[in-house]
Amino acid sequence: MPVLTRLIPSPVFVEVRRGALDSLADILADQRLSTAGRMAVAISNGSGARLRERLAPALPGADWFEAGDGTLDGAVRLADAVKAGHYDVLVALGGGKIIDAAKYAAARVGLPVVAVATNLAHDGICSPVSTLDNDAGRGSYGVPAPIGVVVDLDVVRQAPQRFVAAGIGDVLSNISACADWELSQRVTGEKVDGLAVAMARSAGENLLRHPGLLEDPDLLSTLTEALVLSGIAMSIAGSTRPSSGACHEISHALDVLHPKRSAQHGEQVGLGAAFASFLRGELELTGLITDRLRAHGLPVTADQIGFTEAEFTEAVHYAPNTRPGRFTILEHLDLSPSAIRDAYADYVQAVNS
């Protein structure tokens, strides 16, 4: 008999609303994750410490662990510390570094993890991937996705607007990543998961068409939902493919070649998505992406994040090395440095005209 359905990996619950943080204990109890309140909470030593003061009275059974350096070693230390206790759940309370460290640590000790995002800078809040710095630079590690996601809109509204904008850039890059995946299907025969593409691209399109600006509460809700959809799309695909194409290869190359000058991840991948779309000849899409990036104060050219034309050219040429085996427009065109420089000059002229 043919298999007519499939199980879709997704969070058990997603709470996106104002005041959600103050209901965290009740949310976890209602979901039967921690009815006794025995939880480990990973926080940063900055905003996390302030949130601890606010939440500790409502979470008397919680133990708190600082884990904000974004390194593999730090995530391992968190796992070792959590392993020494007896907890029902590991709660990641913070931004991307905290959530990625907690996902990795929870995987090592066999605990479910709940992502409580305090900013919306990138799609890691619901993804099956932890991005952590290691001795060789930066690595991506497959982990179970969070079992639950909690986003308090009052809290994320207080985050620097640059973080919100970066999250928008990350979600917009889905559109380019899906186009790269479909290009690979046509050229190499790579299998594409249509459901993963539908979810990832829908998330990007929702932000591409949204008229709101950064202070708009409805935009924050739409962005949060888009980040969750992106994470589920990656879980369905079993890889980052629906959210990571040439856009992310370019960003990773900038991180590798200029680790002390790299911008926000979402800023870089948004720019990478616009340039990759231009390389694919999708001029209308390029215009739509750059218009939306500009509307949120995001960069559309390399100089706006501190890179020269020569440095950006070098990064684009190096980019395929960051994801061996992944086929995107960069691998398809296989441009020389001089051809990349010429294409980038044409792109700059097009987006500035």
Side-chain angles (χ1 to χ4, degrees):
M1 170 180 271
V3 176
L4 301 179
T5 62
R6 61 172 169 165
L7 297 176
I8 302 300
S10 67
V12 173
F13 64 94
V14 176
E15 291 273 349
V16 181
R17 56 182 170 86
R18 298 183 62 180
L21 203 57
D22 293 323
S23 304
L24 182 59
D26 291 337
I27 291 171
L28 297 178
D30 288 346
Q31 297 297 330
R32 293 177 172 78
L33 282 175
S34 185
T35 54
R38 289 293 301 158
M39 66 185 75
V41 185
I43 58 171
S44 69
N45 57 8
S47 60
R50 294 189 294 273
L51 288 171
R52 176 180 179 176
E53 292 181 6
R54 171 180 164 184
L55 295 176
L59 302 172
D63 290 330
W64 302 77
F65 302 89
E66 290 186 8
D69 65 359
T71 66
L72 178 60
D73 288 343
V76 171
R77 287 194 297 272
L78 174 61
D80 290 342
V82 170
K83 184 169 60 177
H86 300 282
Y87 304 107
D88 304 317
V89 64
L90 174 57
V91 176
L93 176 61
K97 288 184 178 181
I98 296 296
I99 292 173
D100 280 352
K103 287 190 293 186
Y104 186 90
R108 284 178 67 97
V109 300
L111 280 177
V113 63
V114 174
V116 184
T118 57
N119 70 58
L120 303 175
H122 69 80
D123 60 14
I125 64 173
C126 192
S127 76
V129 177
S130 287
T131 302
L132 300 165
D133 293 335
N134 54 41
D135 293 339
R138 180 166 294 172
S140 296
Y141 304 90
V143 294
I147 196 170
V149 175
V150 178
V151 176
D152 188 324
L153 295 178
D154 289 331
V155 172
V156 298
R157 285 179 67 185
Q158 297 172 17
Q161 287 197 335
R162 186 183 180 191
F163 290 162
V164 179
I168 292 170
D170 204 3
V171 174
L172 289 175
S173 75
N174 287 3
I175 301 170
S176 178
C178 289
D180 276 332
W181 198 5
E182 291 169 338
L183 171 67
S184 180
Q185 182 184 45
R186 293 192 299 271
V187 176
T188 72
E190 180 182 357
K191 185 177 180 181
V192 167
D193 190 307
L195 179 57
V197 167
M199 298 186 86
R201 185 151 50 206
S202 294
E205 291 283 350
N206 286 345
L207 268 298
L208 187 66
R209 313 290 176 180
H210 198 292
L213 298 178
L214 298 179
E215 61 274 11
D216 184 350
D218 184 68
L219 177 70
L220 293 179
S221 295
T222 301
L223 174 57
T224 303
E225 291 164 359
L227 293 171
V228 170
L229 286 176
S230 294
I232 296 173
M234 286 185 268
S235 294
I236 291 170
S239 75
T240 60
R241 197 57 160 121
S243 298
S244 175
C247 47
H248 280 62
E249 289 182 334
I250 293 170
S251 178
H252 294 318
L254 290 170
D255 290 340
V256 170
L257 297 175
H258 306 283
K260 295 183 178 180
R261 285 200 288 134
S262 55
Q264 288 276 331
H265 172 78
E267 295 172 336
Q268 294 182 171
V269 299
L271 168 59
F275 183 57
S277 299
F278 182 81
L279 290 179
R280 286 192 302 271
E282 299 170 330
L283 302 186
E284 181 179 359
L285 176 60
T286 302
L288 289 172
I289 291 175
T290 54
D291 285 349
R292 190 48 35 198
L293 293 175
R294 280 197 177 102
H296 297 298
L298 288 161
V300 299
T301 55
D303 62 292
Q304 294 173 349
I305 49 174
F307 294 104
T308 66
E309 177 187 271
E311 289 169 336
F312 188 73
T313 296
E314 179 188 21
V316 174
H317 189 252
Y318 180 81
N321 295 301
T322 67
R323 285 291 181 271
R326 182 156 294 186
F327 190 88
T328 75
I329 189 62
L330 300 181
E331 288 80 5
H332 181 55
L333 296 178
D334 192 21
L335 298 175
S336 66
S338 62
I340 294 171
R341 184 179 62 248
D342 291 344
Y344 178 66
D346 291 341
Y347 163 82
V348 171
Q349 183 177 8
V351 301
N352 287 332
S353 61

